[in-house]
Amino acid sequence: MWLSRLLVTLVAARARGGDNESENETVKNPPRRLTANSLLTCDFDSSTCGFDYTTDYDWTRNSGGVASSGTGPSSDHTSGSGYYMYVEASSPNYPNIGPFTLASPTFDVCVGEVNFYYHMYSNYYGHDYMGTLQLEEMTDGASWTTIWTKSGDQGDSWQGASVSISTEYVIRVRWVGTTG
């Protein structure tokens, strides 16, 4: 499982008072308004952009192809010579190893949309080592809810995904990979 360029579009959480709201309630539960501002853009070329990638099993930052044959991309999605984050889905991480988590920083405004590219290819001697890649959201600072998922071999090319978040008060997102 490989992730390339990430773009998280924010939802502004600016309080606006109403007739039936107290000032304290407005600050505690601000209304959501989608903006065109980017909360975080990361292509992994110069850093991991504040993502936590070592909580469970580690993700790896890489440029070029992966060491295992019959798997993975030959380059990153954005320039062909940049970096991406990946989980090795074949040996020694096979079968059913994980979770491999890649978590965003915690934001002080609500996340409204997540755009990213992923590459899930495995055709090593006819075996599909790909497991599952999930995108999860956090609203309460403690628990995670899955909002997007892909499993198995998705072909030998980068695929784009755009996930609109309809849940209120999402302050953090993460990708969770489990090998096949």
Side-chain angles (χ1 to χ4, degrees), residues 45-66:
D45 283 352
S46 58
S47 74
T48 57
C49 308
F51 281 85
D52 177 2
Y53 58 96
T54 62
T55 299
D56 298 307
Y57 292 92
D58 292 359
W59 287 67
T60 302
R61 183 173 165 262
N62 192 52
S63 180
V66 295

Side-chain angles (χ1 to χ4, degrees), residues 78-135:
T78 55
S79 68
S81 61
Y83 285 79
Y84 55 91
M85 297 296 289
Y86 84 100
V87 169
E88 179 58 62
S90 59
S91 182
N93 296 330
Y94 180 82
N96 302 316
I97 304 295
F100 294 83
T101 58
L102 179 67
S104 74
T106 301
F107 302 114
D108 59 0
V109 294
C110 301
V111 178
E113 184 174 277
V114 181
N115 299 297
F116 61 98
Y117 290 89
Y118 62 95
H119 192 289
M120 295 173 67
Y121 173 65
S122 175
N123 189 9
Y124 186 70
Y125 296 105
H127 296 286
D128 181 359
Y129 291 101
M130 278 301 119
T132 300
L133 179 64
Q134 298 173 308
L135 177 63

Side-chain angles (χ1 to χ4, degrees), residues 50-52 55 102-107 109-111 136-139 141 143-144 165 169-174:
F51 281 85
D52 177 2
T55 299
L102 179 67
S104 74
T106 301
F107 302 114
V109 294
C110 301
V111 178
E136 298 179 341
E137 65 183 14
M138 175 189 285
T139 59
S143 57
W144 296 93
I165 298 176
Y169 316 117
V170 174
I171 58 171
R172 197 171 187 200
V173 295
R174 73 178 181 182

Side-chain angles (χ1 to χ4, degrees), residues 17-63:
D19 294 337
N20 296 327
E21 295 179 281
S22 72
E23 185 61 31
N24 288 339
E25 183 64 23
T26 301
V27 172
K28 182 179 173 187
N29 294 317
R32 295 167 32 102
R33 290 184 290 150
L34 187 61
T35 72
N37 296 329
S38 208
L39 181 57
L40 175 67
T41 300
C42 182
D43 60 10
F44 299 113
D45 283 352
S46 58
S47 74
T48 57
C49 308
F51 281 85
D52 177 2
Y53 58 96
T54 62
T55 299
D56 298 307
Y57 292 92
D58 292 359
W59 287 67
T60 302
R61 183 173 165 262
N62 192 52
S63 180

